């Protein structure tokens, strides 16, 4: 009988942030597939767990997946871990998980830390609807173009960013998205944890010339403004279009005012010449 693949989240800084179930799973499986075995060994040593490790990182994900799947199909249970947080979230894991599902292997996901959700919930920004973008491209033009995709995004957006690029990215965000409200979560769960909330300009004032170090998540408020649609027809023509579709003049005025986000009175005055 085939074994199982356990997806095991690990701490993002504080070694105590690991569930009892993840610890028991790491003890019980036959082997652990780790993004960096040297990193995972420190976690295992801390919890006195001795287990066979095999490396599974972005450069060998495909080849390694095949080998890991073969072992699971032969009956071994495997725990998948990354260096920190949830495997598969800006970390290796997706390929192995997809392959396991294709081979009808049972994939057991265990809950646990991810910097993304933690940064979102402490941001003070809307948490009811959000999207995760992960890392932006490092090349200037590509990064700016990607940011343009979010100009009219209403949901809160989660970005991962390197401390070296933070100020550049914030400048690009201010230029493309405007002086939005943001929250910078730095070194979450670690000794120097710091959450900075405010508009992009306020964050620049706060950081000043300070060199920003450590791991960073940027949370950006969605666009709270309504999109202004530029019409290439006059208000009168707009009303006429509705009348031509069979609406009464009164209804056409109401709909035009709604489309253009104008007071009904203003549109009504323009309808005087229309029979
Ligand atoms: N799999 C991880 C997760 O679930 O959060 C993410 C791994 S990704 C390679 C690493 C990035 O996650 C960092 O560059 C940073 O943006 C974010 N990150 C990880 N740990 C963090 C922490 N303690 N504080 C703030 N951001 C963190």
């Amino acid at each position: 009988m085939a074994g199982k693949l356990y997806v095991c989240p690990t701490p993002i800084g504080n070694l105590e942030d690991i569930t009892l179930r993840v610890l028991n799973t790491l003890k019980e499986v036959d082997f652990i597939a780790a993004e960096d075995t040297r990193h995972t060994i420190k976690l295992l040593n801390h919890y006195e767990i001795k287990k066979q490790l095999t490396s599974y990182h972005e450069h060998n994900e495909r080849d390694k997946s095949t080998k890991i799947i073969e072992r699971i199909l032969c009956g071994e249970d495997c725990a998948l871990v990354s260096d920190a947080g949830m495997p598969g979230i800006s970390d290796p894991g997706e390929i192995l998980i997809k392959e396991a599902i294709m081979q009808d292997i049972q994939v057991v996901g265990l809950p646990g830390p991810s910097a993304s959700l933690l940064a979102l919930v402490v941001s003070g920004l809307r948490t009811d609807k959000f999207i995760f973008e992960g890392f932006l491209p490092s090349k200037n033009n590509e990064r700016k173009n990607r940011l343009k995709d979010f100009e009219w995004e209403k949901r809160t957006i989660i970005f991962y960013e390197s401390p070296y690029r933070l100020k550049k990215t914030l400048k690009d965000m201010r230029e493309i998205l405007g002086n939005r409200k943001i929250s910078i979560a730095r070194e979450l769960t670690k000794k120097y944890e710091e959450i900075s909330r405010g508009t992009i300009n306020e964050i620049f004032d706060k950081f000043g010339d300070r060199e920003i170090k450590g791991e960073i998540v940027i949370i950006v408020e969605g666009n709270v403004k309504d999109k202004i649609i530029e019409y290439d027809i006059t208000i009168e023509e707009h009303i006429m279009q509705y009348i031509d579709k069979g609406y009464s003049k009164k209804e056409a005025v109401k709909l035009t005012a709604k489309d253009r986000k104008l007071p009904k009175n203003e549109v009504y005055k323009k309808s005087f010449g229309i029979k």
Side-chain angles (χ1 to χ4, degrees):
M1 217 176 83
K4 292 179 189 166
L5 175 65
Y6 293 90
V7 182
C8 294
T10 53
I12 57 165
N14 186 326
L15 282 182
E16 290 181 10
D17 294 328
I18 189 159
T19 68
L20 293 174
R21 204 169 148 223
V22 168
L23 286 176
N24 285 334
T25 302
L26 294 175
K27 281 179 202 157
E28 283 161 16
V29 290
D30 296 293
F31 69 105
I32 299 171
E35 181 183 2
D36 181 345
T37 52
R38 290 162 306 178
H39 192 100
T40 301
I41 204 90
K42 288 183 202 150
L43 178 75
L44 297 185
N45 285 344
H46 182 83
Y47 286 103
E48 296 177 351
I49 298 171
K50 286 199 168 50
K51 194 61 59 177
Q52 194 202 345
L53 288 166
T54 184
S55 77
Y56 176 80
H57 48 73
E58 58 175 331
H59 304 296
N60 70 1
E61 240 184 306
R62 237 164 244 291
D63 287 350
K64 230 24 204 298
S65 288
T66 314
K67 293 190 178 110
I68 293 168
I69 293 291
E70 274 169 17
R71 288 180 69 172
I72 301 176
L73 286 172
C74 286
E76 289 185 87
D77 284 333
C78 171
L80 168 67
V81 298
S82 64
D83 285 355
M86 189 61 85
I89 300 298
S90 297
D91 265 344
E94 186 186 311
I95 293 174
L96 179 60
I97 292 166
K98 276 187 183 156
E99 191 61 31
I101 294 167
M102 269 171 54
Q103 298 291 335
D104 274 337
I105 289 169
Q106 191 181 342
V107 176
V108 184
L110 282 73
S114 176
S116 54
L117 282 188
L118 189 54
L120 172 72
V121 295
V122 296
S123 69
L125 298 171
R126 286 187 68 166
T127 54
D128 57 341
K129 288 191 173 63
F130 61 87
I131 54 170
F132 173 72
E133 176 63 14
F135 288 100
L136 284 163
S138 55
K139 290 197 179 131
N140 286 349
N141 274 349
E142 285 175 31
R143 187 172 56 247
K144 284 187 180 184
N145 279 337
R146 183 70 57 80
L147 281 172
K148 284 182 190 148
D149 292 344
F150 301 109
E151 207 178 336
W152 295 106
E153 176 56 63
K154 289 191 181 308
R155 293 165 291 184
T156 308
I157 315 156
I158 307 172
F159 296 97
Y160 283 167
E161 190 50 288
S162 118
Y164 313 108
R165 273 199 300 269
L166 176 68
K167 287 189 179 170
K168 247 186 175 177
T169 297
L170 291 184
K171 278 189 187 144
D172 290 345
M173 286 179 171
R174 185 173 55 189
E175 181 190 320
I176 292 159
L177 307 177
N179 186 27
R180 299 253 183 117
K181 278 191 201 162
I182 60 167
S183 170
I184 309 285
R186 201 174 69 81
E187 295 287 85
L188 286 167
T189 76
K190 302 187 203 175
K191 190 173 171 192
Y192 296 107
E193 172 173 316
E194 178 187 37
I195 317 278
S196 307
R197 306 175 183 91
T199 61
I200 298 180
N201 283 340
E202 285 165 350
I203 299 294
F204 269 121
D205 285 347
K206 178 177 174 182
F207 287 162
D209 291 335
R210 211 176 106 197
E211 192 192 345
I212 308 297
K213 291 185 185 151
E215 298 199 276
I216 282 161
V217 184
I218 309 176
I219 309 290
V220 178
E221 182 180 47
N223 193 333
V224 288
K225 286 189 224 131
D226 278 325
K227 193 168 183 169
I228 297 159
I229 303 164
E230 298 282 341
Y231 287 96
D232 52 10
I233 51 170
T234 63
I235 295 179
E236 289 87 336
E237 285 166 342
H238 201 148
I239 299 168
M240 273 312 293
Q241 281 189 358
Y242 278 119
I243 292 175
D244 289 344
K245 282 184 192 156
Y247 288 95
S248 69
K249 197 160 127 184
K250 196 175 160 196
E251 284 167 334
V253 166
K254 198 171 151 193
L255 290 168
T256 304
K258 193 171 170 222
D259 288 348
R260 294 191 174 236
K261 299 190 175 28
L262 289 173
K264 235 191 312 178
N265 243 355
E266 203 176 302
V267 179
Y268 177 64
K269 279 184 206 153
K270 298 275 184 188
S271 74
F272 288 167
I274 300 172
K275 291 212 173 109

